[in-house]
Amino acid sequence: MPAVLYDRQPRSGTAPGPTVTACLVWVAGTLVRVAGAVADPRSAVVLVDEAAAVLAAVPREELQRSKASPVQPLTERQLAVLGQLQEEVSLRQIADLLYVSHNTVKSHVRAVYRKLGASSRAEAVRRGRELGLVGPLPGSEEGWTDGA
């Protein structure tokens, strides 16, 4: 039987805080991604089981709260970068638009990914839209109604 990363019984009758919950959700997601990448089916099953055990340790309301908002709020500059990530422009072009260096934009992107629990540009934008941090692209059909 695999070892459980997190004790299923809350200590001293308290639920884990938002930081612990966010870390547990991240660990579970990482385990699932690793399971998808390993060639050994038995190892993949163990990793997925471990991820399920980790998520089972988090009270449902705490899990929902962790998905509803980022652990840390995005700064104004990080929000600006997130907004630009929707566009099909390079990080260097974003740097030029925001009058900052390419390395500064890369740092902001890393912070946005970390704070939103994303591992890709598309995932960060999707999560930003879920949280209402960015809207749909102008001219996209997302959120469009015909008034009927």
Side-chain angles (χ1 to χ4, degrees):
M1 176 165 20
V4 176
L5 292 173
Y6 185 77
D7 184 2
R8 293 176 196 207
Q9 299 297 337
R11 295 171 200 194
S12 68
T14 61
T19 303
V20 172
T21 298
C23 289
L24 290 173
V25 169
W26 176 83
V27 165
T30 301
L31 288 170
V32 170
R33 282 192 296 280
V34 170
V38 297
D40 178 22
R42 289 178 60 200
S43 296
V45 168
V46 169
L47 289 168
V48 171
D49 286 347
E50 190 64 31
V54 167
L55 289 177
V58 180
R60 182 156 307 305
E61 61 276 358
E62 196 65 36
L63 186 58
Q64 291 300 328
R65 201 176 358 232
S66 76
K67 290 181 180 178
S69 63
V71 174
Q72 298 174 332
L74 299 180
T75 66
E76 191 173 319
R77 276 309 217 186
Q78 290 166 354
L79 285 170
V81 168
L82 177 60
Q84 291 298 317
L85 289 176
Q86 299 183 94
E87 309 287 337
E88 291 185 25
V89 295
S90 69
L91 296 184
R92 195 163 303 283
Q93 289 171 310
I94 293 172
D96 291 343
L97 287 167
L98 298 178
Y99 301 103
V100 295
S101 76
H102 179 248
N103 285 334
T104 298
V105 171
K106 288 186 343 185
S107 294
H108 286 318
V109 168
R110 278 193 303 271
V112 167
Y113 284 13
R114 179 178 42 80
K115 289 180 178 183
L116 296 180
S119 58
S120 70
R121 185 176 187 151
E123 188 178 358
V125 170
R126 181 189 53 76
R127 182 90 166 107
R129 286 183 183 145
E130 287 173 1
L131 296 170
L133 301 174
V134 292
L137 280 172
S140 73
E141 294 183 24
E142 209 174 312
W144 181 80
T145 60
D146 61 1

